[in-house]
Amino acid sequence: MRNSTAMPFHRASLAAVFFALILLSRPVSAHEALPTTAKPLGWSYPHSCCSGIDCRRVSDKAISERPEGYVINGTGEVVAYRDGRVKNSPDGVYHWCSVAGADDSRTICLFVPPKGY
């Protein structure tokens, strides 16, 4: 014999999951940075930096600093601190925009966390 009280609870649970998925499944545009804990809803890359595939979040280990500027560790490219391609990162993490999104191409934009972040 089936438990009649379990059925309404099961339907309510399924409905709650369904509505949560609808609310949380927000499409991300190609120019939108992925959400982080610092800024959960993400932010949009400027069109001057991204043609839909050029930008991505990178780890702190992917970028280092020297007296002459930021170093893209994968390519060895140095982007001077005062270079116009250097931008403040709205979510406090590094984002690197490179030609065609390739790991071995030149920098279009580099989003860096503020020093006090």
Side-chain angles (χ1 to χ4, degrees):
M1 186 167 182
R2 290 171 83 151
N3 183 347
S4 61
T5 59
M7 200 60 140
F9 176 76
H10 180 67
R11 285 186 193 145
S13 296
L14 286 176
V17 168
F18 177 74
F19 287 114
L21 287 173
I22 289 173
L23 292 173
L24 296 175
S25 62
R26 185 176 64 91
V28 176
S29 104
H31 293 281
E32 195 167 317
L34 293 175
T36 66
T37 54
K39 191 160 180 119
L41 297 178
W43 50 277
S44 296
Y45 297 114
H47 286 276
S48 61
C49 295
C50 180
S51 65
I53 59 168
D54 303 318
C55 299
R56 66 229 173 252
R57 181 179 173 178
V58 294
S59 76
D60 294 350
K61 294 179 175 108
I63 311 295
S64 57
E65 293 186 48
R66 287 192 203 148
E68 59 272 16
Y70 295 100
V71 179
I72 312 301
N73 292 330
T75 65
E77 178 185 14
V78 177
V79 180
Y81 293 114
R82 295 180 186 253
D83 191 306
R85 297 175 293 170
V86 175
K87 317 278 185 205
N88 286 326
S89 175
D91 61 3
V93 297
Y94 287 102
H95 294 260
W96 182 43
C97 305
S98 60
V99 175
D103 292 333
D104 60 352
S105 62
R106 68 176 178 76
T107 298
I108 299 170
C109 292
L110 179 64
F111 294 86
V112 299
K115 294 292 182 192
Y117 210 92

